[in-house]
Amino acid sequence: MLEIAFWGLLGLLLIGPLFMNLVGPFIIWRTQKIPTIVQFEPLSDDDFFTRCTEGVPYFDEQMMDAGFVVVGNSSLHDSHTDTYFRVYWHEHLKLAGTVVGISATNQPDLTYCEFSQKFADGRWLNVLNGNRPEAYPRLPIKQSFQFPEVLVVEQLLSLHAQLRQRLKGDLQPVDYQAEQGFAEITAFLREESDALLDKGLVKPEIDADGKRSLTLYGAFTMTWRSVWPGRVIAMAAKQRATKRWLQGG
C-alpha cells in the first residue's frame, strides 16, 4: 500500500514538469514571437514609476548615486509579459545601464539591474543580477554573466570591471549615443533576432508587428531553459562559467 502511494505521489509531482517539457514547447511555438523591429514609446517618469514593478526604485536610486544619468523609460508588452525599462548612461565609464521590471503571467514579478558595454570587436559584455536564466542560448554577439546574489549596484559594477579586464583587454568600448534614446537598444534587438535566425531558432519572416515566429527547435530550446530541470541546469552552467572567467580561466 505504501509503495502504491509513493509511486502515485511521485507521478503527481512529475506531471507538471513532464507537461511543461513535452507539451509546453508546442504551446510556445504557437503563441510566442520574438521582437525584431521594435518601436519604443517613451514613458514619462510618473507613468513609468506608476506601472513598473516595486523593486525598480531600489535600483534606480543606486544607479543615480553611482553617477549614471537617465536616458529614458519605455516598455514592451506581449500576450504573457509586461516589461518596463529605465535606461542610463555613464559618460566616464562608457557604460550603459538598465533597470528592468517584468510582470509575467503565472510568475512572480522580476526586477533586475544590467550593465551593457559594446566593444570594437562588435560584441557586447553584459553583467546582470537577474535570478532567472536568459531565454536565449549563448549568442556570438554578446557575453553575458549573472550574479543573482548581488543586489548592490557598486558591487555589480566592480564585477563588470573585472570581467571587462579579463575578456576585453585593451579593446575600446563603443560610445552609446544617449541623445538618440532607445535607438541603440532597437539596433541590438534586431541584431539579436538575426543571431537567433542564424542558429535556426526563429523563422526569417517578420510580421506586421515587427516580430519573428519561433521554429519548433527554437520553442523547445527556450522552453527547456525556462522550466525545471533545464532552468536549474542552465543557471548552474552559467554560474560555473562566470566563476571560471573571474578566476582567470
Side-chain angles (χ1 to χ4, degrees), residues 18-29 219 223:
L18 283 172
F19 177 85
M20 289 305 301
N21 280 278
L22 297 177
V23 180
F26 292 97
I27 298 174
I28 297 298
W29 178 51
T223 302

Side-chain angles (χ1 to χ4, degrees), residues 59-88:
F59 288 119
D60 175 65
E61 182 177 356
Q62 293 187 62
M63 294 290 285
M64 304 298 280
D65 290 342
F68 285 83
V69 297
V70 177
V71 173
N73 313 305
S74 190
S75 61
L76 284 176
H77 307 276
D78 61 29
S79 57
H80 299 87
T81 308
D82 296 317
T83 306
Y84 295 91
F85 305 86
R86 187 163 171 87
V87 179
Y88 310 77

Side-chain angles (χ1 to χ4, degrees), residues 194-205:
D194 289 344
L196 293 171
L197 177 64
D198 291 340
K199 280 183 168 285
L201 300 174
V202 297
K203 298 177 181 179
E205 297 82 11

Side-chain angles (χ1 to χ4, degrees), residues 146-159:
Q146 285 181 253
F147 300 91
E149 74 283 358
V150 178
L151 301 180
V152 178
V153 164
E154 290 285 0
Q155 293 179 10
L156 203 62
L157 277 173
S158 176
L159 290 164

Side-chain angles (χ1 to χ4, degrees), residues 86-102:
R86 187 163 171 87
V87 179
Y88 310 77
W89 173 245
H90 197 298
E91 179 62 31
H92 176 68
L93 299 176
K94 303 299 181 185
L95 183 64
T98 312
V99 175
V100 182
I102 302 176

Side-chain angles (χ1 to χ4, degrees), residues 2-3 7 11-12 33 40 51 63 69 87 113 118 130 151-152 158 166 169 179 184 203-204 211 213 217 222 239 247:
L2 287 175
E3 185 177 354
W7 287 111
L12 288 173
K33 293 186 177 182
F40 285 99
R51 303 180 191 180
M63 294 290 285
V69 297
V87 179
C113 179
K118 188 176 183 179
L151 301 180
V152 178
S158 176
R166 293 192 181 280
E179 69 277 3
E184 191 76 38
K203 298 177 181 179
K211 297 180 179 180
S213 296
Y217 166 61
M222 290 181 62
Q239 293 300 309
Q247 292 169 358

Side-chain angles (χ1 to χ4, degrees), residues 163-224:
L163 287 164
R164 172 184 170 177
Q165 183 178 15
R166 293 192 181 280
L167 296 172
K168 297 302 181 181
D170 296 329
L171 278 176
Q172 292 299 309
V174 176
D175 258 345
Y176 183 94
Q177 304 300 317
E179 69 277 3
Q180 296 183 22
F182 289 88
E184 191 76 38
I185 300 175
T186 299
F188 172 76
L189 289 174
R190 177 57 190 262
E191 189 178 7
E192 186 176 56
S193 178
D194 289 344
L196 293 171
L197 177 64
D198 291 340
K199 280 183 168 285
L201 300 174
V202 297
K203 298 177 181 179
E205 297 82 11
I206 302 172
D207 67 15
D209 295 322
K211 297 180 179 180
R212 281 178 167 141
S213 296
L214 290 163
T215 61
L216 191 55
Y217 166 61
F220 269 92
T221 299
M222 290 181 62
T223 302
W224 287 342

